[in-house]
mmCIF file of all heavy atoms in Angstrom:
data_model
loop_
_atom_site.group_PDB
_atom_site.id
_atom_site.type_symbol
_atom_site.label_atom_id
_atom_site.label_comp_id
_atom_site.label_asym_id
_atom_site.label_seq_id
_atom_site.Cartn_x
_atom_site.Cartn_y
_atom_site.Cartn_z
ATOM 1 N N HIS A 368 229.648 193.521 136.386
ATOM 2 C CA HIS A 368 228.391 193.047 136.873
ATOM 3 C C HIS A 368 228.058 193.645 138.254
ATOM 4 O O HIS A 368 228.997 193.923 139.062
ATOM 5 C CB HIS A 368 228.443 191.529 137.089
ATOM 6 C CG HIS A 368 228.560 190.717 135.970
ATOM 7 N ND1 HIS A 368 228.562 189.330 135.939
ATOM 8 C CD2 HIS A 368 228.762 190.992 134.716
ATOM 9 C CE1 HIS A 368 228.679 188.855 134.756
ATOM 10 N NE2 HIS A 368 228.827 189.841 133.902
ATOM 11 N N SER A 369 226.860 193.767 138.601
ATOM 12 C CA SER A 369 226.335 193.995 139.908
ATOM 13 C C SER A 369 226.187 192.642 140.541
ATOM 14 O O SER A 369 225.370 191.767 140.061
ATOM 15 C CB SER A 369 225.128 194.772 139.954
ATOM 16 O OG SER A 369 224.580 194.699 141.289
ATOM 17 N N LEU A 370 226.935 192.288 141.645
ATOM 18 C CA LEU A 370 226.832 190.977 142.141
ATOM 19 C C LEU A 370 225.634 190.774 142.987
ATOM 20 O O LEU A 370 225.363 189.726 143.492
ATOM 21 C CB LEU A 370 228.132 190.698 143.001
ATOM 22 C CG LEU A 370 229.406 190.771 142.171
ATOM 23 C CD1 LEU A 370 230.604 190.514 143.104
ATOM 24 C CD2 LEU A 370 229.410 189.708 141.166
ATOM 25 N N LYS A 371 224.729 191.782 143.007
ATOM 26 C CA LYS A 371 223.437 191.584 143.649
ATOM 27 C C LYS A 371 222.575 190.687 142.840
ATOM 28 O O LYS A 371 221.643 190.069 143.374
ATOM 29 C CB LYS A 371 222.694 192.967 143.721
ATOM 30 C CG LYS A 371 223.341 193.990 144.753
ATOM 31 C CD LYS A 371 222.522 195.228 144.873
ATOM 32 C CE LYS A 371 221.226 195.037 145.628
ATOM 33 N NZ LYS A 371 220.553 196.294 145.872
ATOM 34 N N LYS A 372 222.945 190.527 141.519
ATOM 35 C CA LYS A 372 222.180 189.723 140.601
ATOM 36 C C LYS A 372 222.561 188.220 140.701
ATOM 37 O O LYS A 372 222.067 187.410 139.958
ATOM 38 C CB LYS A 372 222.300 190.236 139.240
ATOM 39 C CG LYS A 372 221.684 191.685 138.988
ATOM 40 C CD LYS A 372 221.892 192.121 137.586
ATOM 41 C CE LYS A 372 221.306 193.481 137.379
ATOM 42 N NZ LYS A 372 221.541 193.952 135.982
ATOM 43 N N GLY A 373 223.417 187.945 141.565
ATOM 44 C CA GLY A 373 224.047 186.561 141.607
ATOM 45 C C GLY A 373 225.411 186.635 142.121
ATOM 46 O O GLY A 373 226.412 186.939 141.434
ATOM 47 N N CYS A 374 225.520 186.291 143.454
ATOM 48 C CA CYS A 374 226.871 186.426 144.080
ATOM 49 C C CYS A 374 227.826 185.342 143.661
ATOM 50 O O CYS A 374 227.458 184.131 143.598
ATOM 51 C CB CYS A 374 226.735 186.381 145.567
ATOM 52 S SG CYS A 374 228.334 186.729 146.405
ATOM 53 N N ASP A 375 229.050 185.691 143.286
ATOM 54 C CA ASP A 375 230.058 184.791 142.804
ATOM 55 C C ASP A 375 231.038 184.447 143.917
ATOM 56 O O ASP A 375 232.031 183.767 143.666
ATOM 57 C CB ASP A 375 230.793 185.282 141.571
ATOM 58 C CG ASP A 375 229.748 185.699 140.474
ATOM 59 O OD1 ASP A 375 229.163 184.828 139.942
ATOM 60 O OD2 ASP A 375 229.555 186.976 140.266
ATOM 61 N N CYS A 376 230.858 185.030 145.159
ATOM 62 C CA CYS A 376 231.708 184.633 146.266
ATOM 63 C C CYS A 376 231.023 183.964 147.374
ATOM 64 O O CYS A 376 229.787 184.060 147.465
ATOM 65 C CB CYS A 376 232.272 186.062 146.770
ATOM 66 S SG CYS A 376 232.977 187.099 145.439
ATOM 67 N N LEU A 377 231.711 183.308 148.226
ATOM 68 C CA LEU A 377 231.159 182.667 149.386
ATOM 69 C C LEU A 377 231.766 183.151 150.753
ATOM 70 O O LEU A 377 232.932 183.693 150.648
ATOM 71 C CB LEU A 377 231.302 181.205 149.299
ATOM 72 C CG LEU A 377 230.611 180.392 148.169
ATOM 73 C CD1 LEU A 377 231.048 178.951 148.130
ATOM 74 C CD2 LEU A 377 229.145 180.541 148.193
ATOM 75 N N GLY A 378 231.067 183.061 151.787
ATOM 76 C CA GLY A 378 231.602 183.429 153.088
ATOM 77 C C GLY A 378 231.150 184.897 153.420
ATOM 78 O O GLY A 378 230.228 185.389 152.871
ATOM 79 N N TYR A 379 232.016 185.558 154.328
ATOM 80 C CA TYR A 379 231.657 186.957 154.707
ATOM 81 C C TYR A 379 232.227 187.800 153.581
ATOM 82 O O TYR A 379 233.419 187.822 153.337
ATOM 83 C CB TYR A 379 232.318 187.207 156.109
ATOM 84 C CG TYR A 379 231.824 188.548 156.580
ATOM 85 C CD1 TYR A 379 230.893 188.577 157.623
ATOM 86 C CD2 TYR A 379 232.370 189.729 156.147
ATOM 87 C CE1 TYR A 379 230.505 189.792 158.106
ATOM 88 C CE2 TYR A 379 231.953 190.936 156.648
ATOM 89 C CZ TYR A 379 231.026 191.062 157.669
ATOM 90 O OH TYR A 379 230.607 192.205 158.156
ATOM 91 N N ILE A 380 231.372 188.688 153.003
ATOM 92 C CA ILE A 380 231.818 189.397 151.890
ATOM 93 C C ILE A 380 231.540 190.982 152.151
ATOM 94 O O ILE A 380 230.588 191.346 152.671
ATOM 95 C CB ILE A 380 230.921 189.038 150.652
ATOM 96 C CG1 ILE A 380 231.036 187.504 150.318
ATOM 97 C CG2 ILE A 380 231.318 189.846 149.358
ATOM 98 C CD1 ILE A 380 229.983 186.971 149.418
ATOM 99 N N LYS A 381 232.621 191.667 151.684
ATOM 100 C CA LYS A 381 232.482 193.134 151.657
ATOM 101 C C LYS A 381 232.459 193.564 150.208
ATOM 102 O O LYS A 381 233.331 193.139 149.405
ATOM 103 C CB LYS A 381 233.789 193.749 152.354
ATOM 104 C CG LYS A 381 233.945 195.217 152.091
ATOM 105 C CD LYS A 381 232.858 196.082 152.692
ATOM 106 C CE LYS A 381 233.079 197.562 152.430
ATOM 107 N NZ LYS A 381 231.899 198.418 152.903
ATOM 108 N N TYR A 382 231.458 194.308 149.859
ATOM 109 C CA TYR A 382 231.269 194.753 148.535
ATOM 110 C C TYR A 382 231.610 196.275 148.356
ATOM 111 O O TYR A 382 231.539 197.104 149.347
ATOM 112 C CB TYR A 382 229.801 194.655 148.019
ATOM 113 C CG TYR A 382 229.327 193.162 147.887
ATOM 114 C CD1 TYR A 382 228.446 192.703 148.811
ATOM 115 C CD2 TYR A 382 229.816 192.414 146.798
ATOM 116 C CE1 TYR A 382 228.044 191.346 148.649
ATOM 117 C CE2 TYR A 382 229.411 191.097 146.676
ATOM 118 C CZ TYR A 382 228.455 190.592 147.592
ATOM 119 O OH TYR A 382 228.087 189.215 147.442
ATOM 120 N N PHE A 383 231.993 196.657 147.190
ATOM 121 C CA PHE A 383 232.354 198.025 146.772
ATOM 122 C C PHE A 383 231.505 198.445 145.601
ATOM 123 O O PHE A 383 231.427 197.626 144.619
ATOM 124 C CB PHE A 383 233.778 198.230 146.617
ATOM 125 C CG PHE A 383 234.702 197.987 147.739
ATOM 126 C CD1 PHE A 383 235.073 196.633 147.925
ATOM 127 C CD2 PHE A 383 235.149 198.999 148.617
ATOM 128 C CE1 PHE A 383 235.913 196.420 149.078
ATOM 129 C CE2 PHE A 383 235.956 198.769 149.654
ATOM 130 C CZ PHE A 383 236.318 197.437 149.892
ATOM 131 N N ASP A 384 230.811 199.639 145.542
ATOM 132 C CA ASP A 384 230.098 200.012 144.402
ATOM 133 C C ASP A 384 231.037 200.749 143.441
ATOM 134 O O ASP A 384 232.108 201.153 143.831
ATOM 135 C CB ASP A 384 228.983 201.024 144.850
ATOM 136 C CG ASP A 384 227.983 200.369 145.681
ATOM 137 O OD1 ASP A 384 227.862 199.153 145.712
ATOM 138 O OD2 ASP A 384 227.161 201.140 146.368
ATOM 139 N N ALA A 385 230.581 200.933 142.210
ATOM 140 C CA ALA A 385 231.312 201.685 141.232
ATOM 141 C C ALA A 385 230.412 202.597 140.517
ATOM 142 O O ALA A 385 229.214 202.274 140.219
ATOM 143 C CB ALA A 385 231.945 200.725 140.140
ATOM 144 N N HIS A 386 230.974 203.846 140.245
ATOM 145 C CA HIS A 386 230.103 204.892 139.524
ATOM 146 C C HIS A 386 230.730 205.248 138.228
ATOM 147 O O HIS A 386 231.929 205.359 138.083
ATOM 148 C CB HIS A 386 230.081 206.101 140.426
ATOM 149 C CG HIS A 386 229.673 205.848 141.877
ATOM 150 N ND1 HIS A 386 228.298 205.532 142.184
ATOM 151 C CD2 HIS A 386 230.326 205.900 142.993
ATOM 152 C CE1 HIS A 386 228.215 205.376 143.454
ATOM 153 N NE2 HIS A 386 229.491 205.564 144.049
ATOM 154 N N PHE A 387 229.876 205.457 137.232
ATOM 155 C CA PHE A 387 230.294 205.778 135.930
ATOM 156 C C PHE A 387 229.265 206.848 135.311
ATOM 157 O O PHE A 387 228.194 206.995 135.793
ATOM 158 C CB PHE A 387 230.159 204.509 134.995
ATOM 159 C CG PHE A 387 230.995 203.408 135.434
ATOM 160 C CD1 PHE A 387 230.306 202.371 136.136
ATOM 161 C CD2 PHE A 387 232.312 203.342 135.280
ATOM 162 C CE1 PHE A 387 231.098 201.199 136.603
ATOM 163 C CE2 PHE A 387 233.027 202.183 135.636
ATOM 164 C CZ PHE A 387 232.476 201.180 136.317
ATOM 165 N N THR A 388 229.820 207.464 134.245
ATOM 166 C CA THR A 388 228.891 208.262 133.421
ATOM 167 C C THR A 388 228.365 207.476 132.277
ATOM 168 O O THR A 388 229.001 206.558 131.760
ATOM 169 C CB THR A 388 229.679 209.502 132.856
ATOM 170 O OG1 THR A 388 228.740 210.185 131.972
ATOM 171 C CG2 THR A 388 230.773 209.079 131.934
ATOM 172 N N ASN A 389 227.097 207.704 131.894
ATOM 173 C CA ASN A 389 226.546 207.062 130.703
ATOM 174 C C ASN A 389 226.848 207.991 129.543
ATOM 175 O O ASN A 389 227.417 209.020 129.645
ATOM 176 C CB ASN A 389 225.125 206.709 130.874
ATOM 177 C CG ASN A 389 224.187 207.965 131.180
ATOM 178 O OD1 ASN A 389 224.582 209.069 130.816
ATOM 179 N ND2 ASN A 389 223.120 207.679 131.784
ATOM 180 N N PHE A 390 226.386 207.604 128.387
ATOM 181 C CA PHE A 390 226.690 208.296 127.130
ATOM 182 C C PHE A 390 226.263 209.823 127.097
ATOM 183 O O PHE A 390 226.843 210.623 126.508
ATOM 184 C CB PHE A 390 226.064 207.553 125.953
ATOM 185 C CG PHE A 390 226.698 207.715 124.640
ATOM 186 C CD1 PHE A 390 228.129 207.824 124.542
ATOM 187 C CD2 PHE A 390 225.967 207.786 123.472
ATOM 188 C CE1 PHE A 390 228.717 207.927 123.291
ATOM 189 C CE2 PHE A 390 226.545 207.965 122.265
ATOM 190 C CZ PHE A 390 227.881 208.025 122.135
ATOM 191 N N THR A 391 225.201 210.024 127.765
ATOM 192 C CA THR A 391 224.584 211.362 127.672
ATOM 193 C C THR A 391 225.010 212.259 128.990
ATOM 194 O O THR A 391 224.634 213.349 129.204
ATOM 195 C CB THR A 391 223.071 211.350 127.648
ATOM 196 O OG1 THR A 391 222.553 210.549 128.753
ATOM 197 C CG2 THR A 391 222.586 210.775 126.396
ATOM 198 N N GLY A 392 225.918 211.649 129.890
ATOM 199 C CA GLY A 392 226.414 212.408 130.882
ATOM 200 C C GLY A 392 225.764 212.161 132.263
ATOM 201 O O GLY A 392 226.161 212.742 133.309
ATOM 202 N N GLY A 393 224.714 211.234 132.243
ATOM 203 C CA GLY A 393 224.140 210.882 133.573
ATOM 204 C C GLY A 393 225.064 209.916 134.355
ATOM 205 O O GLY A 393 225.922 209.350 133.723
ATOM 206 N N VAL A 394 224.818 209.805 135.637
ATOM 207 C CA VAL A 394 225.606 208.979 136.444
ATOM 208 C C VAL A 394 224.911 207.685 136.758
ATOM 209 O O VAL A 394 223.727 207.670 137.088
ATOM 210 C CB VAL A 394 225.969 209.665 137.760
ATOM 211 C CG1 VAL A 394 226.863 208.715 138.668
ATOM 212 C CG2 VAL A 394 226.778 210.930 137.497
ATOM 213 N N GLU A 395 225.534 206.541 136.540
ATOM 214 C CA GLU A 395 225.043 205.145 136.838
ATOM 215 C C GLU A 395 225.962 204.599 137.902
ATOM 216 O O GLU A 395 227.094 204.672 137.931
ATOM 217 C CB GLU A 395 224.936 204.374 135.574
ATOM 218 C CG GLU A 395 224.017 204.956 134.535
ATOM 219 C CD GLU A 395 223.887 204.117 133.315
ATOM 220 O OE1 GLU A 395 224.519 203.143 133.277
ATOM 221 O OE2 GLU A 395 223.081 204.420 132.422
ATOM 222 N N THR A 396 225.272 203.769 138.730
ATOM 223 C CA THR A 396 225.952 203.155 139.781
ATOM 224 C C THR A 396 225.880 201.610 139.634
ATOM 225 O O THR A 396 224.762 201.108 139.449
ATOM 226 C CB THR A 396 225.480 203.530 141.163
ATOM 227 O OG1 THR A 396 225.772 204.885 141.350
ATOM 228 C CG2 THR A 396 226.150 202.734 142.260
ATOM 229 N N ILE A 397 226.925 200.853 139.668
ATOM 230 C CA ILE A 397 226.896 199.378 139.758
ATOM 231 C C ILE A 397 227.125 199.001 141.186
ATOM 232 O O ILE A 397 228.171 199.177 141.729
ATOM 233 C CB ILE A 397 228.064 198.767 138.831
ATOM 234 C CG1 ILE A 397 227.940 199.237 137.411
ATOM 235 C CG2 ILE A 397 227.968 197.268 138.908
ATOM 236 C CD1 ILE A 397 229.019 198.748 136.524
ATOM 237 N N GLU A 398 226.040 198.633 141.813
ATOM 238 C CA GLU A 398 226.109 198.185 143.222
ATOM 239 C C GLU A 398 226.729 196.821 143.338
ATOM 240 O O GLU A 398 226.624 195.966 142.508
ATOM 241 C CB GLU A 398 224.654 198.128 143.818
ATOM 242 C CG GLU A 398 224.018 199.545 143.817
ATOM 243 C CD GLU A 398 222.588 199.433 144.443
ATOM 244 O OE1 GLU A 398 221.814 198.673 144.007
ATOM 245 O OE2 GLU A 398 222.398 200.178 145.491
ATOM 246 N N ASN A 399 227.450 196.724 144.453
ATOM 247 C CA ASN A 399 228.166 195.379 144.659
ATOM 248 C C ASN A 399 229.019 194.999 143.484
ATOM 249 O O ASN A 399 228.947 193.836 143.083
ATOM 250 C CB ASN A 399 227.180 194.365 145.007
ATOM 251 C CG ASN A 399 226.448 194.557 146.371
ATOM 252 O OD1 ASN A 399 226.576 195.680 146.897
ATOM 253 N ND2 ASN A 399 225.664 193.557 146.900
ATOM 254 N N CYS A 400 229.754 195.884 143.068
ATOM 255 C CA CYS A 400 230.570 195.682 141.852
ATOM 256 C C CYS A 400 231.824 194.891 142.129
ATOM 257 O O CYS A 400 232.260 193.977 141.364
ATOM 258 C CB CYS A 400 230.934 196.987 141.153
ATOM 259 S SG CYS A 400 231.827 196.847 139.591
ATOM 260 N N VAL A 401 232.558 195.208 143.144
ATOM 261 C CA VAL A 401 233.788 194.575 143.595
ATOM 262 C C VAL A 401 233.547 193.704 144.826
ATOM 263 O O VAL A 401 232.923 194.189 145.785
ATOM 264 C CB VAL A 401 234.982 195.572 143.850
ATOM 265 C CG1 VAL A 401 236.208 194.882 144.371
ATOM 266 C CG2 VAL A 401 235.256 196.341 142.581
ATOM 267 N N CYS A 402 234.102 192.507 144.859
ATOM 268 C CA CYS A 402 233.930 191.558 145.941
ATOM 269 C C CYS A 402 235.242 191.361 146.633
ATOM 270 O O CYS A 402 236.233 191.099 146.124
ATOM 271 C CB CYS A 402 233.440 190.202 145.404
ATOM 272 S SG CYS A 402 233.282 188.920 146.583
ATOM 273 N N LEU A 403 235.175 191.451 148.028
ATOM 274 C CA LEU A 403 236.376 191.211 148.867
ATOM 275 C C LEU A 403 235.968 190.191 149.846
ATOM 276 O O LEU A 403 234.987 190.267 150.592
ATOM 277 C CB LEU A 403 236.711 192.472 149.609
ATOM 278 C CG LEU A 403 237.807 192.323 150.696
ATOM 279 C CD1 LEU A 403 239.213 192.171 149.997
ATOM 280 C CD2 LEU A 403 237.873 193.600 151.602
ATOM 281 N N HIS A 404 236.677 189.031 149.865
ATOM 282 C CA HIS A 404 236.490 187.959 150.835
ATOM 283 C C HIS A 404 237.648 187.056 150.972
ATOM 284 O O HIS A 404 238.586 187.162 150.261
ATOM 285 C CB HIS A 404 235.240 187.133 150.290
ATOM 286 C CG HIS A 404 235.593 186.210 149.112
ATOM 287 N ND1 HIS A 404 235.942 186.719 147.808
ATOM 288 C CD2 HIS A 404 235.772 184.866 149.021
ATOM 289 C CE1 HIS A 404 236.171 185.689 147.030
ATOM 290 N NE2 HIS A 404 236.056 184.536 147.714
ATOM 291 N N GLU A 405 237.600 186.252 152.124
ATOM 292 C CA GLU A 405 238.688 185.338 152.378
ATOM 293 C C GLU A 405 238.353 183.914 151.906
ATOM 294 O O GLU A 405 237.137 183.632 151.769
ATOM 295 C CB GLU A 405 238.907 185.173 153.878
ATOM 296 C CG GLU A 405 239.337 186.445 154.532
ATOM 297 C CD GLU A 405 239.437 186.346 156.108
ATOM 298 O OE1 GLU A 405 238.323 186.472 156.649
ATOM 299 O OE2 GLU A 405 240.466 186.082 156.590
ATOM 300 N N GLU A 406 239.419 183.195 151.602
ATOM 301 C CA GLU A 406 239.159 181.816 151.099
ATOM 302 C C GLU A 406 240.158 180.842 151.761
ATOM 303 O O GLU A 406 241.407 181.258 151.982
ATOM 304 C CB GLU A 406 239.375 181.665 149.620
ATOM 305 C CG GLU A 406 238.418 182.439 148.698
ATOM 306 C CD GLU A 406 238.715 182.391 147.245
ATOM 307 O OE1 GLU A 406 239.823 182.020 146.858
ATOM 308 O OE2 GLU A 406 237.828 182.763 146.416
ATOM 309 N N ASP A 407 239.709 179.682 152.125
ATOM 310 C CA ASP A 407 240.590 178.614 152.483
ATOM 311 C C ASP A 407 241.262 178.070 151.208
ATOM 312 O O ASP A 407 240.631 177.814 150.211
ATOM 313 C CB ASP A 407 239.828 177.496 153.111
ATOM 314 C CG ASP A 407 240.730 176.345 153.703
ATOM 315 O OD1 ASP A 407 241.269 176.429 154.753
ATOM 316 O OD2 ASP A 407 241.008 175.383 152.892
ATOM 317 N N HIS A 408 242.592 177.937 151.318
ATOM 318 C CA HIS A 408 243.345 177.519 150.088
ATOM 319 C C HIS A 408 244.224 176.336 150.347
ATOM 320 O O HIS A 408 245.367 176.197 149.913
ATOM 321 C CB HIS A 408 244.171 178.673 149.624
ATOM 322 C CG HIS A 408 244.732 178.541 148.206
ATOM 323 N ND1 HIS A 408 243.858 178.396 147.092
ATOM 324 C CD2 HIS A 408 245.970 178.463 147.795
ATOM 325 C CE1 HIS A 408 244.606 178.291 146.077
ATOM 326 N NE2 HIS A 408 245.913 178.269 146.376
#
Side-chain angles (χ1 to χ4, degrees):
H368 293 187
S369 168
L370 299 178
K371 292 182 72 173
K372 297 180 179 179
C374 184
D375 305 290
C376 311
L377 296 174
Y379 189 102
I380 302 165
K381 166 64 179 176
Y382 292 110
F383 298 83
D384 297 343
H386 307 289
F387 304 99
T388 178
N389 59 27
F390 204 39
T391 56
V394 179
E395 297 184 359
T396 297
I397 302 177
E398 295 181 304
N399 293 12
C400 184
V401 173
C402 171
L403 173 73
H404 73 291
E405 295 175 280
E406 295 178 345
D407 180 90
H408 193 62

